[in-house]
Each structure stands twice: as structure tokens, then as C-alpha cells.
């Protein structure tokens, strides 16, 4: 194992009706001026918006809103929200939505105190000294952002979609009510599950020996395999929603990485490129890219694939592990080829942007030749 | 799953030479007056004491010391240390030692600001509003106290050994260097492993369905089974020490309990009674008590035992699970009967104190008849 620091200060409040039960109390320690950030309006249709607004009013908060955050969120939206927070002297940021909304809110919380330039902060060119406290209410199980220090935004001007991490952007409090997810459409539920799988694999294929973290990866993956298909058949099930939701948080809250030198993240980089070009949901790009990445890297990851297969899929051959993963993605109706996304003719375009953006992994560095072959396998 | 809050603010710094590398920096945010708490002097023999004292001096701290904390630690020692901290206006507490030292330091940190009565705080009769920051340097892998909010002390006057929990006593920072454990004697290493197993089982036999937490219990338990016996044969191995150490922290930092209504803790209560009466190391009482508790509870925990056996020991019968656990304890040279502790004639005495102290579990409530039968099986 490598030396590591285990630290995650997020207070995560999980379960049925937790927003009504605890939000007022948790908000009481923060100031009165609240910037509320949300997405395209689904929270207005399902009642979460009015529930939260009632609590904010009863708490005596002054609320100003920035709605309309889209999936594959833009730094330009974050910048506009920073402006709003700065002008209104926001004391805290409240994000109500999925990963896109919370990721946006993380940068808003970080850039608002000094009205900083969001993309420069993302790029590490500006380093804010502090952030506003961030409270999140999650409405989609997938990215794990509710309990980590990461955010991913894209820049429509430069053609980049990149990740950012800082201990300053851990949410102070996150509310996770599985009942909020029962109205998530089946396809987005499935993409979320593919994303969770990919997070586990990005940890597992990282650098360094971390036997207990490996076992934790296997445990969460088996949990997903147990509940994934049943949930898609019964999307209204609270019990299945809560299991996927909790797996989702655990898959990317740092606990799968303890003792490793790094994660891998090459497949996420590939997926971000496809999402950027064609606005494909994140998880749907990962279920296409992971099997292709594995097939191409096979000679280098034989033993890792074998161990994964033995512990998760009950197979004992590296190629069978890839088949089993592909089969699982298919069973939950996630695409496993570019053709299924109607992108079979776009391989050159995808390759060119990957090369331009220097797409690579952290452990297995990908050359242009590697990228060419991986795209060929997708 | 039950509603739950996942929250653990401890910054845990793990790996080789972390004290030299990071302690000065971490201590810089706290005040100058440091109460240093340690045990019977092993840290003076192995050099950790002088290493820490050098760092404290270079950090410009005023250090006052309370040494001599014994295993199965006493509230009277904690009270004397509180007095010392209060008189010297301590800004922080630094604990260097195993679970006994850190548990004592937790109560000292909590009771020092107002010079509170330690046992009254343990009993919940006095509730301090704040605690001094606590930094710990762990020297023995077992109790998990370095990353949780719990402490166990005993009162020599009342004959009680009880647990206490409060979010105020989470260490701010804990340093875990596996190299500090290579000099731990083989028998105490084994008792530590038995204690870790028991922590996992106390979570697993708690109330409520928590499928992912169950899988995490199985993962940590398999890790222990992989490394337990090899470590006892090669106690100088850093690689094996680090795996047991990390398993130890994870087994009782809250992560095995998420989604459960409660843990069980009946066996710990039984073990505390034996430790109190005969000053037997904690882990050695648990390897005796757990198989007996399981045999007695068998009709009520058949399915749980079967699932545990399938996932951890590769057996598919409840009684075989008990056999496999007993076999594991034997393989690591832990006692599995009172006779092996030379206490075969003390069953009445043990039973009487258990009855007097109202020993029970949280999920499976034990009657006097239950206790009689469990002691009979030990």
C-alpha cells in the first residue's frame, strides 16, 4: 500500500424524508443569503423545489436562484451563478439536483467569495483561499459528487471537459432521499449504474496494491449486479433505489482509493470527449468505452481482470470478465458500442478531439496509437 | 435500510514515517499547551516518545505529560489527567499509544475545558459543550478508536466497564504508521485481530437490513483471514502489519453500520466483564465469548450465520460457520474457552457480575438464563 490520507468531512444524511426532518436544523448554522442552484426544472414538476423553498422561507433565508443547469454542465453557467452570488453577498450555496447541478455548485461556492474566474480555477491557474459552505440535495444516483471533492465541467469555447478537485469543495451537508429517485427515467437510472461501475473500475485499475480497497470495489460491484436489473424492472422500488444510491455514494467518496498511488480515469477521459461532442449522457459513454479499453489493454491487465472476474462475476478468465461486464451493461440496456449511439461514422472525429485534448489515463498512459485502437473497438 | 447519518471528520494519515513527515504541519493549527498522554512506557523503549517530543519541541509547544495509562484503562487516570490539563490550560491533547491511551485521552479532551467529572460524563449525567482538539498517534492495531467517536473506560470503585460515544471526541488527526506495530508482541497482535473480528460481528449481528454494509463486513473479515496467520508467523512484516492496521480502522469507523438500526455489542459486554474481573486482554475475552454466544443464539441467527459462512469461510451451514470462526481464532493462538484462560472455575463469579451489571445486547437482549447458558458454553 502507498501512504495515504483518509479524510472526508461531509455530513451525509440518508433515508426517507430526511429533507423535511433535518434540513432546517442543518441550515441554521449558516448565514441568511442562500444561492439556490438547480437544473432544467424537474424539481419543479416533482415537488422538491417547493418543498425546499418552504423550508428556506421558514428558516428566514433570503433566496436567490440560478436554474437551468444542463447535464454535461458548462463553466459559463457556473460563472453567471458566481456573479449572482457575489452581487448578492451569498453566505452559502444550496444545490438541488444531480451531479451536474452539484458539480456546478461546487465551483460556484469556491469562486464566489472573490468573484473568481471559474475556468481559471478549474485549470489551477487561480487558487481561491476559501469557499462558501455548500449544502446539496441529491436527485440522481450516479456521480458520487455528494460526498467527494471533485467536479467536472465543460468549456464550450475550448472544447474541453475536465475534472477538478479541492478539499474546499466538499459539501458541508448532503441530503440523500431515495424516494427522490423513484421518478428518474429508466434510461438515466441505467446510465447512472454504468457510471457507478466505471468509478469502481477507475479505482481498481489505478496504480498500486491496495488489497482491502480491491475487496471494497468487489463488494460495491456485486451490490450493483444484485440490484441493477431488478431496479430497471421495478423503478418505483424504494428499497432498490436506496441500495443503488448508497452504492453510488460509496463508489466515489475516496474509500476505494485508500492505499493506491492513483486511480486510472482513462476511460472517463474518453467518455468526456464523446459527451462533449454529441451531448451523450456520461454513463452511456462509459458503458461503450470500458469494454473497448479493457480489450485493448488486455495484455497488461490480465491478472487484474482475472481477479475481478473471480470476485465479481464468478468467472476465472480475463476475457470472460470483459464479456461478463459487457453482458451486465447490456442487461441494464446500456449501449456497448458507438453504433448503438448512432455514432459509428464518427470515430475519426472522436479520435481527433481525444488527440487534441491529450486524452490519457493516469496509470496506463494512452498513446495516439492506443486511442486509435480503442476507438476502433468501440 | 434504516435512515442514517454518515459523518466522520477524522483526518487519518496512514503510512510509513507519517509522524516525521506531517505532524509538525498538523499541530501548527492548534495552541501551544499540549497534554501528552501515553501508557506504560513502551513508547520510551521503542523511540516513539523521543521522536514525538522532538517534534513538539521544534513546534514550540509547552508539553506536560500524563503517562502510565494501563490496558483496560481507568476513569481515575483520566480524571487525574483532566486535572493536569485544566491546571495547565491545555489547548490540545496528544495521545500516543493503543486503544487504552486514546480512549482515555478522548475523555480527557472532553472533560478538561470545564474540569468535568469523567465518570459522570461517561454515564451521561454531565454533558460537556465542547472538547479540546485531540491528536492521536496509534501504536497498536485493534480498537479502531483512532477514527471513531467511542471510548471504553472502567471504574474500579463501581466494578463497571462501559462505553461512551460523542461526536465531540473524534480525533482531529490520527497518525497510523504500521512500522510502529512491528514490535507489538505476537500474542497482543493476535488479540487485536480477535478484537477486529468481533467489531465486524457486532455490526453484522446488529438490527436491520444493510446489504452493502454486510458485504463490507465480509470484505474486511476476508482481509483478516488472509493476513492474520501469516502476520503471526512473520510479525516483523510491514506489509502484513499495514493490512491488519487498515482493516482494524475500517472495522469500527462507522462504515459497517450504515443503514442498520443498531449494532449488537452483547459479546463485548460479556468480554468487558471478564476483563474487569481478571485483567484479561480485551481481544482474548472476545475469542472466548463469541463462539459461545453464537452457539447459544443459533436458533435465532441461522440465516445470518449461513450467509456469513458462505461469504467469508466458504461453508454453507450455520454450525460450520461457528466452527470456522473458532478454528480461525485457534490458528492465531487466541483462547476459545475459559479453561484456556485458567478461568474454568470462575463461571459463577463471571455470571454474577454480568447479572449485576445488566449485561445484554442491543439487538438480541440477553436474559439471566441466556447469560447462564452462554457462560456454560465458554
Amino acid at each position: 500500500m502507498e501512504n495515504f490520507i483518509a479524510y472526508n468531512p461531509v455530513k451525509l444524511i440518508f433515508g426517507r424524508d430526511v429533507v423535511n426532518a433535518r434540513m432546517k436544523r442543518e441550515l441554521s448554522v449558516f448565514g441568511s443569503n442562500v444561492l439556490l442552484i438547480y437544473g432544467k426544472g424537474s424539481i419543479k414538476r416533482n415537488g422538491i423545489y417547493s418543498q425546499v423553498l418552504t423550508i428556506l422561507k421558514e428558516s428566514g433565508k433570503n433566496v436567490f436562484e440560478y436554474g437551468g443547469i444542463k447535464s454535461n454542465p458548462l463553466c459559463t453557467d457556473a460563472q453567471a451563478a458566481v456573479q449572482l452570488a457575489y452581487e448578492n453577498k451569498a453566505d452559502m450555496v444550496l444545490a438541488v439536483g444531480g451531479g451536474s447541478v452539484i458539480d456546478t455548485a461546487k465551483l460556484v461556492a469556491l469562486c464566489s467569495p472573490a468573484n473568481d474566474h471559474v475556468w481559471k480555477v478549474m485549470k489551477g491557474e487561480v487558487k481561491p483561499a476559501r469557499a462558501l459552505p455548500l449544502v446539496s440535495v441529491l436527485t440522481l444516483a450516479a456521480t458520487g459528487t455528494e460526498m467527494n471533492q471533485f467536479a467536472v465541467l465543460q468549456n464550450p469555447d475550448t472544447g474541453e471537459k475536465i475534472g477538478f478537485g479541492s478539499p474546499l469543495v466538499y459539501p458541508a451537508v448532503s441530503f440523500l432521499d431515495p424516494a427522490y429517485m423513484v421518478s428518474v427515467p429508466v434510461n438515466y437510472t441505467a446510465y447512472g449504474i454504468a457510471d457507478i461501475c466505471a468509478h469502481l473500475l477507475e479505482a481498481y485499475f489505478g496504480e498500486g496494491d491496495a488489497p482491502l480497497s480491491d475487496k471494497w470495489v468487489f463488494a460495491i460491484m456485486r451490490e450493483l449486479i444484485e440490484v441493477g436489473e431488478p431496479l430497471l424492472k421495478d423503478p418505483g422500488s424504494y428499497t432498490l433505489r436506496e441500495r443503488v444510491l448508497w452504492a453510488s455514494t460509496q463508489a466515489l467518496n475516496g474509500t476505494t482509493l485508500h492505499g493506491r498511488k492513483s486511480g486510472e480515469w482513462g476511460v472517463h477521459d474518453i467518455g468526456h470527449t464523446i459527451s462533449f461532442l454529441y451531448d451523450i449522457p456520461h454513463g452511456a459513454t462509459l458503458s461503450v468505452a470500458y469494454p473497448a479499453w479493457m480489450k485493448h489493454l488486455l495484455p497488461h491487465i490480465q491478472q487484474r481482470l482475472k481477479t475481478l472476474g473471480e470476485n465479481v462475476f464468478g468467472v476465472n478468465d480475463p476475457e470472460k470478465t470483459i464479456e461478463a461486464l459487457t453482458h451486465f451493461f447490456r442487461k441494464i440496456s446500456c449501449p456497448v458500442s458507438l453504433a448503438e449511439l448512432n455514432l459509428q461514422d464518427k470515430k475519426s472525429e472522436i479520435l481527433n478531439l481525444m488527440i487534441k485534448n491529450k486524452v490519457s489515463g493516469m496509470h496506463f498512459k494512452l498513446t495516439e496509437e492506443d486511442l486509435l485502437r480503442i476507438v476502433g473497438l468501440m
Side-chain angles (χ1 to χ4, degrees), chain A:
Chain A
M1 284 162 64
E2 303 288 326
N3 285 11
F4 64 92
I5 294 177
Y7 173 64
N8 190 322
V10 177
K11 184 173 187 177
L12 188 126
I13 304 179
F14 188 104
R16 198 185 284 278
D17 214 23
V18 287
V19 169
N20 277 333
R22 299 270 315 200
M23 184 182 262
K24 202 177 286 180
R25 178 169 158 187
E26 298 296 334
L27 292 182
S28 67
V29 300
F30 304 116
S32 329
N33 294 336
V34 178
L35 176 68
L36 173 65
I37 299 187
Y38 53 93
K40 289 288 191 187
S42 65
I43 62 164
K44 291 193 174 169
R45 291 189 294 279
N46 61 23
I48 299 173
Y49 173 83
S50 67
Q51 181 191 13
V52 167
L53 222 61
T54 302
I55 292 168
L56 288 168
K57 279 187 186 153
E58 288 174 5
S59 306
K61 305 289 186 186
N62 310 315
V63 183
F64 26 103
E65 303 184 16
Y66 192 95
I69 304 300
K70 65 179 219 60
S71 59
N72 299 319
L74 305 173
C75 65
T76 42
D77 269 323
Q79 195 68 61
V82 166
Q83 187 66 28
L84 187 66
Y86 185 74
E87 284 168 5
N88 289 279
K89 299 189 170 56
D91 297 307
M92 62 163 289
V93 177
L94 175 60
V96 183
S100 302
V101 170
I102 298 174
D103 280 9
T104 303
K106 284 179 172 179
L107 270 296
V108 175
L110 185 60
C111 297
S112 292
N115 200 11
D116 282 318
H117 189 278
V118 170
W119 197 249
K120 285 186 179 166
V121 170
M122 291 284 293
K123 287 285 211 174
E125 295 162 13
V126 172
K127 292 187 188 298
R130 68 178 193 94
L132 297 180
L134 168 64
V135 173
S136 82
V137 176
L138 187 69
T139 60
L140 181 68
T143 75
T145 188
E146 64 276 10
M147 202 180 189
N148 69 34
Q149 56 174 321
F150 304 112
V152 178
L153 294 182
Q154 66 184 44
N155 185 331
D157 298 327
T158 67
E160 290 165 289
K161 178 170 185 172
I162 61 172
F164 169 81
S166 160
L168 291 172
V169 302
Y170 279 114
V173 186
S174 285
F175 292 89
L176 275 67
D177 185 340
Y180 287 3
M181 281 105 205
V182 297
S183 61
V184 173
V186 168
N187 57 347
Y188 274 84
T189 301
Y191 303 151
I193 293 172
D195 192 13
I196 304 166
C197 279
H199 293 157
L200 295 168
L201 296 170
E202 299 289 27
Y204 180 71
F205 288 107
E207 188 173 357
D209 290 332
L212 186 54
S213 293
D214 282 355
K215 291 184 179 71
W216 183 217
V217 164
F218 304 149
I220 305 172
M221 202 124 181
R222 284 202 307 273
E223 179 78 355
L224 284 177
I225 289 169
E226 270 179 41
V227 296
E229 212 183 347
L231 173 58
L232 299 188
K233 287 180 180 150
D234 183 13
S237 162
Y238 178 91
T239 308
L240 294 170
R241 289 281 179 188
E242 73 177 350
R243 289 179 67 181
V244 168
L245 176 56
W246 185 225
S248 157
T249 300
Q250 293 281 24
L252 198 55
N253 65 357
T255 51
T256 62
L257 284 168
H258 295 314
R260 296 188 210 281
K261 197 164 182 176
S262 75
E264 167 45 39
W265 298 106
V267 173
H268 264 70
D269 262 9
I270 296 170
H272 289 334
T273 306
I274 302 171
S275 285
F276 178 85
L277 283 170
Y278 313 107
D279 212 17
I280 305 287
H282 179 52
T285 67
L286 300 172
S287 58
V288 170
Y290 237 115
W293 181 90
M294 284 175 167
K295 281 177 202 158
H296 176 61
L297 269 288
L298 184 59
H300 306 285
I301 56 174
Q302 296 229 25
Q303 187 54 51
R304 293 297 278 165
L305 279 172
K306 185 165 181 288
T307 305
L308 178 70
E310 285 166 352
N311 283 280
V312 175
F313 297 106
V315 299
N316 64 356
D317 172 277
E319 297 193 42
K320 287 217 168 72
T321 304
I322 303 175
E323 280 170 31
L325 178 69
T326 309
H327 182 63
F328 174 66
F329 285 147
R330 276 213 188 91
K331 276 201 301 187
I332 59 170
S333 304
C334 281
V336 294
S337 69
L338 287 174
E340 290 166 67
L341 296 170
N342 291 317
L343 299 176
Q344 62 272 38
D345 303 330
K346 305 290 186 183
K347 293 190 177 187
S348 303
E349 198 170 46
I350 293 167
L351 179 64
N352 289 340
L353 185 57
M354 289 202 294
I355 291 170
K356 174 167 176 269
N357 285 350
K358 299 188 174 59
V359 160
S360 177
M362 295 175 74
H363 183 196
F364 298 99
K365 304 287 184 193
L366 301 173
T367 63
E368 292 187 14
E369 177 66 25
D370 290 321
L371 293 173
L372 172 70
R373 290 206 42 211
I374 291 169
V375 174
L377 290 163
M378 293 198 304

